[in-house]
Amino acid sequence: MKNSKILLILFLISFSFIAKGQVSYEPDETLIYKTTPQTTLKLHVFKPEKHKKKDKRPVVVFFFGGGWSGGSPKQFYQQARYFSERGIVAISAEYRVFKKHNTTPFDCVRDAKSAIRWVRVHASELGIDPDRVIASGGSAGGHLAACTGVIEGNEEVGEELKVSSVPNAMLLFNPVIDTTEKGYGLKKVGEARKTEISPCSHVREGIVPTLIFHGTADKTVPFENVQRFTKLMNEVGNSCELIAYEGEGHGFFNGSFFRKKNTDVIFNSTMEKAMEFFKELKFIYK
């Protein structure tokens, strides 16, 4: 019995040392940013080491994918930790989805705009710079991030609209960018409203700098959609870069934390290119 206790203590000590050497993909804090009739919505916050409220760090807000029907903030935990380790506050946001809350893509867009606005309103508490807010996400979450930067209106009733819900940059992973018959989501937004929250239909001068990652073999969100969006953006003088991953399909960017069978080769590639994008914008904390 005595030997068993000793072995248990040694195991726990060993485990604690191992754990200290591993990266934690759990958020450092969760904060409620919105209360809706269906649920309360939280931000899963990842902080740089020794982060203080007086800091004015850049912040990136991620929205998970799942066709506006499901999904989890965990999808972007690995990306969030990557950026937090490099001095950027990173947040993976919850939003309402159809399977849990019987909501529509229009509700999702309002939630995304609420998240960006809340982060900006609470900049001093979060230790972030309200003028260096990056919206990001994948697939339907990439659509939400794009909508915060492109779609005017569709704001949540009762919020402080004097504070902008428009980010200062967008980082998009295989985003839904056209909700008409040419893209993805027509059945979910409806024929009568097919262009209302379709970023391709709302490109204009003055949209924030954008970087897009997309697989050329994506069978869910056609590669043509992001090619067209990029062309439209650049034609009116906006800065938009598309980085194509040849032969890759939908969700190619997920790291090994969220997709256990994935290696981190492509994950690391997208993260390195994202950091280059941030540096060009001076969205790096010094």
Side-chain angles (χ1 to χ4, degrees):
M1 189 68 174
K2 186 177 180 181
N3 288 339
S4 297
K5 286 183 179 179
I6 292 171
L7 287 172
L8 178 60
I9 291 168
L10 289 173
F11 171 78
L12 291 173
I13 291 171
S14 300
F15 181 80
S16 68
F17 278 114
I18 293 170
K20 285 179 183 178
Q22 294 178 340
V23 176
S24 170
Y25 292 123
E26 290 303 310
D28 299 307
E29 185 177 22
T30 56
L31 301 167
I32 294 173
Y33 77 91
K34 186 174 183 178
T35 300
T36 73
Q38 297 90 352
T39 189
T40 55
L41 298 172
K42 297 178 181 178
L43 301 176
H44 301 219
V45 184
F46 292 74
K47 300 176 182 179
E49 189 176 359
K50 298 180 181 177
H51 180 54
K52 300 178 181 66
K53 289 185 178 181
K54 67 179 182 180
D55 295 341
K56 294 191 70 174
R57 296 178 185 267
V59 59
V60 56
V61 183
F62 291 102
F63 301 99
F64 59 84
W68 310 288
S69 294
S72 167
K74 289 184 178 181
Q75 181 178 23
F76 282 101
Y77 276 13
Q78 191 171 355
Q79 287 88 345
R81 182 56 73 199
Y82 181 98
F83 288 132
S84 73
E85 289 178 339
R86 287 155 181 81
I88 298 169
V89 174
I91 296 170
S92 192
E94 298 176 2
Y95 62 90
R96 289 171 291 173
V97 292
F98 176 74
K99 287 181 180 177
K100 286 185 178 179
H101 311 114
N102 196 33
T103 46
T104 70
F106 302 93
D107 298 312
C108 299
V109 171
R110 284 194 289 274
D111 290 345
K113 290 192 170 207
S114 295
I116 298 296
R117 177 175 289 111
W118 193 94
V119 165
R120 193 168 271 134
V121 168
H122 294 84
S124 60
E125 299 163 44
L126 292 168
I128 62 99
D129 184 347
D131 295 321
R132 291 191 292 174
V133 179
I134 306 140
S136 185
S139 192
H143 169 261
L144 300 186
C147 283
T148 64
V150 177
I151 302 299
E152 297 179 305
N154 210 69
E155 309 280 358
E156 192 63 78
V157 175
E159 290 188 352
E160 182 49 77
L161 301 184
K162 289 181 181 179
V163 178
S164 176
S165 63
V166 178
N168 303 102
M170 296 187 292
L171 175 66
L172 311 177
F173 298 81
N174 52 240
V176 174
I177 211 78
D178 185 335
T179 58
T180 73
E181 59 278 352
K182 295 179 182 179
Y184 175 88
L186 178 59
K187 291 182 179 179
K188 297 181 181 182
V189 298
E191 178 69 30
R193 305 181 73 182
K194 66 182 181 181
T195 63
E196 194 173 316
I197 54 172
S198 182
C200 269
S201 301
H202 295 267
V203 174
R204 64 192 180 282
E205 185 182 359
I207 293 173
V208 300
T210 303
L211 177 62
I212 304 173
F213 299 118
H214 210 100
T216 61
D218 194 325
K219 294 181 180 179
T220 303
V221 179
F223 185 66
E224 180 278 334
N225 288 188
V226 290
Q227 285 181 306
R228 177 159 38 95
F229 179 78
T230 301
K231 183 173 183 290
L232 291 169
M233 286 277 282
N234 289 319
E235 282 177 348
V236 295
N238 299 323
S239 173
C240 184
E241 181 183 2
L242 168 60
I243 297 179
Y245 281 80
E246 194 64 37
E248 295 296 335
H250 199 63
F252 71 97
F253 61 88
N254 290 303
S256 58
F257 172 75
F258 189 69
R259 293 276 185 253
K260 302 302 181 185
K261 293 181 180 180
N262 285 13
T263 69
D264 285 329
V265 174
I266 291 178
F267 168 84
N268 288 329
S269 171
T270 60
M271 293 294 92
E272 288 166 9
K273 293 179 189 303
M275 285 300 295
E276 290 172 10
F277 175 57
F278 295 166
K279 286 176 183 176
E280 288 173 6
L281 296 174
K282 296 184 168 54
F283 282 18
I284 298 297
Y285 184 75
K286 294 181 180 180

Tab-separated table of all heavy atoms in Angstrom, residues 205-237:
chain	number	residue	atom	x	y	z
A	205	GLU	N	-15.349	50.524	-52.339
A	205	GLU	CA	-14.112	51.147	-51.907
A	205	GLU	C	-14.113	51.338	-50.389
A	205	GLU	O	-15.150	51.627	-49.798
A	205	GLU	CB	-13.959	52.507	-52.592
A	205	GLU	CG	-12.656	53.207	-52.305
A	205	GLU	CD	-12.569	54.560	-52.973
A	205	GLU	OE1	-13.533	54.952	-53.680
A	205	GLU	OE2	-11.542	55.235	-52.780
A	206	GLY	N	-12.959	51.166	-49.770
A	206	GLY	CA	-12.829	51.451	-48.347
A	206	GLY	C	-12.928	50.256	-47.420
A	206	GLY	O	-12.909	50.421	-46.197
A	207	ILE	N	-13.018	49.046	-47.965
A	207	ILE	CA	-13.056	47.847	-47.117
A	207	ILE	C	-11.645	47.562	-46.610
A	207	ILE	O	-10.655	47.776	-47.304
A	207	ILE	CB	-13.626	46.645	-47.903
A	207	ILE	CG1	-15.111	46.896	-48.219
A	207	ILE	CG2	-13.475	45.343	-47.112
A	207	ILE	CD1	-15.736	45.878	-49.133
A	208	VAL	N	-11.562	47.077	-45.387
A	208	VAL	CA	-10.276	46.914	-44.703
A	208	VAL	C	-9.387	45.868	-45.379
A	208	VAL	O	-9.881	44.990	-46.099
A	208	VAL	CB	-10.494	46.541	-43.217
A	208	VAL	CG1	-11.279	47.630	-42.499
A	208	VAL	CG2	-11.196	45.182	-43.082
A	209	PRO	N	-8.061	45.941	-45.153
A	209	PRO	CA	-7.124	44.969	-45.740
A	209	PRO	C	-7.507	43.534	-45.384
A	209	PRO	O	-7.904	43.244	-44.256
A	209	PRO	CB	-5.780	45.352	-45.105
A	209	PRO	CG	-5.928	46.796	-44.767
A	209	PRO	CD	-7.364	46.973	-44.363
A	210	THR	N	-7.373	42.658	-46.380
A	210	THR	CA	-7.869	41.288	-46.236
A	210	THR	C	-6.863	40.278	-46.777
A	210	THR	O	-6.269	40.483	-47.835
A	210	THR	CB	-9.196	41.127	-47.008
A	210	THR	OG1	-10.142	42.092	-46.526
A	210	THR	CG2	-9.779	39.740	-46.827
A	211	LEU	N	-6.698	39.182	-46.040
A	211	LEU	CA	-5.898	38.047	-46.495
A	211	LEU	C	-6.786	36.810	-46.469
A	211	LEU	O	-7.460	36.548	-45.468
A	211	LEU	CB	-4.680	37.841	-45.590
A	211	LEU	CG	-3.789	36.628	-45.912
A	211	LEU	CD1	-3.175	36.744	-47.299
A	211	LEU	CD2	-2.685	36.475	-44.861
A	212	ILE	N	-6.779	36.055	-47.573
A	212	ILE	CA	-7.617	34.854	-47.689
A	212	ILE	C	-6.758	33.637	-47.979
A	212	ILE	O	-5.884	33.668	-48.841
A	212	ILE	CB	-8.647	35.008	-48.839
A	212	ILE	CG1	-9.509	36.261	-48.637
A	212	ILE	CG2	-9.532	33.762	-48.932
A	212	ILE	CD1	-10.416	36.564	-49.823
A	213	PHE	N	-7.022	32.539	-47.252
A	213	PHE	CA	-6.427	31.241	-47.539
A	213	PHE	C	-7.536	30.337	-48.082
A	213	PHE	O	-8.614	30.252	-47.473
A	213	PHE	CB	-5.847	30.603	-46.274
A	213	PHE	CG	-4.747	31.402	-45.623
A	213	PHE	CD1	-4.897	31.890	-44.323
A	213	PHE	CD2	-3.564	31.652	-46.284
A	213	PHE	CE1	-3.888	32.603	-43.712
A	213	PHE	CE2	-2.543	32.378	-45.685
A	213	PHE	CZ	-2.700	32.860	-44.400
A	214	HIS	N	-7.269	29.643	-49.201
A	214	HIS	CA	-8.319	28.799	-49.778
A	214	HIS	C	-7.695	27.665	-50.581
A	214	HIS	O	-6.700	27.862	-51.282
A	214	HIS	CB	-9.219	29.628	-50.703
A	214	HIS	CG	-10.626	29.154	-50.775
A	214	HIS	ND1	-11.656	29.746	-50.054
A	214	HIS	CD2	-11.203	28.143	-51.456
A	214	HIS	CE1	-12.797	29.128	-50.317
A	214	HIS	NE2	-12.541	28.139	-51.174
A	215	GLY	N	-8.290	26.483	-50.469
A	215	GLY	CA	-7.842	25.329	-51.246
A	215	GLY	C	-8.452	25.340	-52.638
A	215	GLY	O	-9.650	25.598	-52.788
A	216	THR	N	-7.652	25.038	-53.642
A	216	THR	CA	-8.159	25.070	-55.026
A	216	THR	C	-9.144	23.939	-55.312
A	216	THR	O	-9.918	24.018	-56.256
A	216	THR	CB	-6.999	24.986	-56.031
A	216	THR	OG1	-6.285	23.752	-55.847
A	216	THR	CG2	-6.033	26.150	-55.871
A	217	ALA	N	-9.113	22.883	-54.488
A	217	ALA	CA	-10.006	21.740	-54.705
A	217	ALA	C	-11.191	21.739	-53.740
A	217	ALA	O	-11.823	20.700	-53.521
A	217	ALA	CB	-9.225	20.437	-54.571
A	218	ASP	N	-11.500	22.885	-53.178
A	218	ASP	CA	-12.617	23.003	-52.227
A	218	ASP	C	-13.937	22.700	-52.940
A	218	ASP	O	-14.311	23.383	-53.894
A	218	ASP	CB	-12.645	24.423	-51.657
A	218	ASP	CG	-13.529	24.549	-50.428
A	218	ASP	OD1	-14.574	23.867	-50.361
A	218	ASP	OD2	-13.183	25.339	-49.532
A	219	LYS	N	-14.648	21.675	-52.465
A	219	LYS	CA	-15.923	21.297	-53.072
A	219	LYS	C	-17.125	21.869	-52.325
A	219	LYS	O	-18.268	21.693	-52.744
A	219	LYS	CB	-16.031	19.769	-53.121
A	219	LYS	CG	-15.012	19.116	-54.046
A	219	LYS	CD	-15.172	17.609	-54.072
A	219	LYS	CE	-14.137	16.978	-55.003
A	219	LYS	NZ	-14.263	15.482	-55.023
A	220	THR	N	-16.869	22.549	-51.224
A	220	THR	CA	-17.954	23.164	-50.450
A	220	THR	C	-18.110	24.630	-50.824
A	220	THR	O	-19.212	25.085	-51.146
A	220	THR	CB	-17.677	23.039	-48.937
A	220	THR	OG1	-17.511	21.653	-48.604
A	220	THR	CG2	-18.825	23.624	-48.126
A	221	VAL	N	-17.026	25.368	-50.768
A	221	VAL	CA	-17.001	26.777	-51.159
A	221	VAL	C	-16.117	26.897	-52.398
A	221	VAL	O	-14.891	26.761	-52.286
A	221	VAL	CB	-16.463	27.672	-50.035
A	221	VAL	CG1	-16.418	29.130	-50.492
A	221	VAL	CG2	-17.320	27.545	-48.783
A	222	PRO	N	-16.695	27.091	-53.579
A	222	PRO	CA	-15.901	27.106	-54.813
A	222	PRO	C	-14.743	28.103	-54.763
A	222	PRO	O	-14.901	29.238	-54.313
A	222	PRO	CB	-16.923	27.511	-55.887
A	222	PRO	CG	-18.246	27.096	-55.319
A	222	PRO	CD	-18.135	27.312	-53.834
A	223	PHE	N	-13.589	27.653	-55.239
A	223	PHE	CA	-12.409	28.515	-55.288
A	223	PHE	C	-12.687	29.761	-56.128
A	223	PHE	O	-12.177	30.855	-55.837
A	223	PHE	CB	-11.218	27.723	-55.864
A	223	PHE	CG	-9.929	28.485	-55.858
A	223	PHE	CD1	-9.320	28.841	-54.666
A	223	PHE	CD2	-9.316	28.846	-57.050
A	223	PHE	CE1	-8.124	29.550	-54.651
A	223	PHE	CE2	-8.120	29.548	-57.052
A	223	PHE	CZ	-7.520	29.903	-55.850
A	224	GLU	N	-13.527	29.613	-57.124
A	224	GLU	CA	-13.883	30.750	-57.981
A	224	GLU	C	-14.466	31.901	-57.184
A	224	GLU	O	-14.263	33.076	-57.524
A	224	GLU	CB	-14.886	30.297	-59.057
A	224	GLU	CG	-15.335	31.377	-60.028
A	224	GLU	CD	-16.464	32.265	-59.490
A	224	GLU	OE1	-17.226	31.788	-58.613
A	224	GLU	OE2	-16.579	33.428	-59.967
A	225	ASN	N	-15.184	31.591	-56.123
A	225	ASN	CA	-15.830	32.629	-55.310
A	225	ASN	C	-14.798	33.587	-54.713
A	225	ASN	O	-14.962	34.804	-54.777
A	225	ASN	CB	-16.636	32.006	-54.175
A	225	ASN	CG	-17.915	31.323	-54.629
A	225	ASN	OD1	-18.729	30.901	-53.807
A	225	ASN	ND2	-18.132	31.181	-55.936
A	226	VAL	N	-13.739	33.021	-54.129
A	226	VAL	CA	-12.724	33.889	-53.511
A	226	VAL	C	-11.868	34.578	-54.568
A	226	VAL	O	-11.386	35.697	-54.357
A	226	VAL	CB	-11.844	33.130	-52.497
A	226	VAL	CG1	-12.646	32.778	-51.261
A	226	VAL	CG2	-11.219	31.889	-53.111
A	227	GLN	N	-11.678	33.930	-55.706
A	227	GLN	CA	-10.973	34.584	-56.815
A	227	GLN	C	-11.747	35.829	-57.254
A	227	GLN	O	-11.168	36.903	-57.453
A	227	GLN	CB	-10.826	33.636	-57.998
A	227	GLN	CG	-9.778	32.557	-57.836
A	227	GLN	CD	-9.682	31.683	-59.073
A	227	GLN	OE1	-10.678	31.120	-59.536
A	227	GLN	NE2	-8.480	31.562	-59.614
A	228	ARG	N	-13.044	35.672	-57.384
A	228	ARG	CA	-13.892	36.791	-57.831
A	228	ARG	C	-13.926	37.896	-56.788
A	228	ARG	O	-13.834	39.083	-57.127
A	228	ARG	CB	-15.308	36.267	-58.129
A	228	ARG	CG	-16.320	37.320	-58.522
A	228	ARG	CD	-17.505	36.723	-59.287
A	228	ARG	NE	-17.903	35.435	-58.772
A	228	ARG	CZ	-18.870	35.249	-57.870
A	228	ARG	NH1	-19.520	36.290	-57.356
A	228	ARG	NH2	-19.201	34.035	-57.472
A	229	PHE	N	-14.064	37.513	-55.520
A	229	PHE	CA	-14.078	38.510	-54.445
A	229	PHE	C	-12.771	39.300	-54.420
A	229	PHE	O	-12.779	40.531	-54.303
A	229	PHE	CB	-14.300	37.816	-53.095
A	229	PHE	CG	-14.310	38.750	-51.921
A	229	PHE	CD1	-15.424	39.520	-51.642
A	229	PHE	CD2	-13.206	38.848	-51.082
A	229	PHE	CE1	-15.445	40.388	-50.549
A	229	PHE	CE2	-13.207	39.702	-49.990
A	229	PHE	CZ	-14.330	40.482	-49.726
A	230	THR	N	-11.654	38.594	-54.534
A	230	THR	CA	-10.343	39.250	-54.530
A	230	THR	C	-10.223	40.224	-55.698
A	230	THR	O	-9.734	41.352	-55.531
A	230	THR	CB	-9.221	38.190	-54.604
A	230	THR	OG1	-9.348	37.303	-53.484
A	230	THR	CG2	-7.852	38.838	-54.582
A	231	LYS	N	-10.672	39.805	-56.856
A	231	LYS	CA	-10.624	40.660	-58.049
A	231	LYS	C	-11.477	41.910	-57.843
A	231	LYS	O	-11.050	43.036	-58.129
A	231	LYS	CB	-11.101	39.883	-59.266
A	231	LYS	CG	-11.032	40.628	-60.594
A	231	LYS	CD	-11.365	39.682	-61.743
A	231	LYS	CE	-11.232	40.387	-63.089
A	231	LYS	NZ	-12.268	41.394	-63.326
A	232	LEU	N	-12.686	41.725	-57.334
A	232	LEU	CA	-13.589	42.858	-57.085
A	232	LEU	C	-12.984	43.825	-56.071
A	232	LEU	O	-13.080	45.051	-56.227
A	232	LEU	CB	-14.940	42.352	-56.585
A	232	LEU	CG	-15.818	41.589	-57.589
A	232	LEU	CD1	-16.991	40.917	-56.871
A	232	LEU	CD2	-16.332	42.525	-58.677
A	233	MET	N	-12.389	43.287	-55.033
A	233	MET	CA	-11.776	44.122	-53.997
A	233	MET	C	-10.641	44.971	-54.578
A	233	MET	O	-10.571	46.182	-54.345
A	233	MET	CB	-11.243	43.246	-52.866
A	233	MET	CG	-12.309	42.656	-51.958
A	233	MET	SD	-12.836	43.820	-50.665
A	233	MET	CE	-11.474	43.666	-49.499
A	234	ASN	N	-9.760	44.338	-55.324
A	234	ASN	CA	-8.611	45.056	-55.858
A	234	ASN	C	-8.996	46.055	-56.947
A	234	ASN	O	-8.355	47.097	-57.100
A	234	ASN	CB	-7.568	44.059	-56.370
A	234	ASN	CG	-6.880	43.314	-55.230
A	234	ASN	OD1	-6.547	43.899	-54.209
A	234	ASN	ND2	-6.675	42.024	-55.388
A	235	GLU	N	-10.049	45.761	-57.678
A	235	GLU	CA	-10.505	46.665	-58.740
A	235	GLU	C	-10.957	48.021	-58.200
A	235	GLU	O	-10.851	49.031	-58.891
A	235	GLU	CB	-11.634	46.020	-59.542
A	235	GLU	CG	-11.162	44.982	-60.553
A	235	GLU	CD	-12.297	44.301	-61.281
A	235	GLU	OE1	-13.476	44.449	-60.864
A	235	GLU	OE2	-12.024	43.592	-62.271
A	236	VAL	N	-11.476	48.025	-56.976
A	236	VAL	CA	-11.935	49.296	-56.399
A	236	VAL	C	-10.900	49.905	-55.460
A	236	VAL	O	-11.188	50.850	-54.730
A	236	VAL	CB	-13.298	49.139	-55.678
A	236	VAL	CG1	-14.392	48.766	-56.667
A	236	VAL	CG2	-13.212	48.122	-54.542
A	237	GLY	N	-9.703	49.341	-55.465
A	237	GLY	CA	-8.615	49.933	-54.695
A	237	GLY	C	-8.397	49.398	-53.298
A	237	GLY	O	-7.582	49.935	-52.536
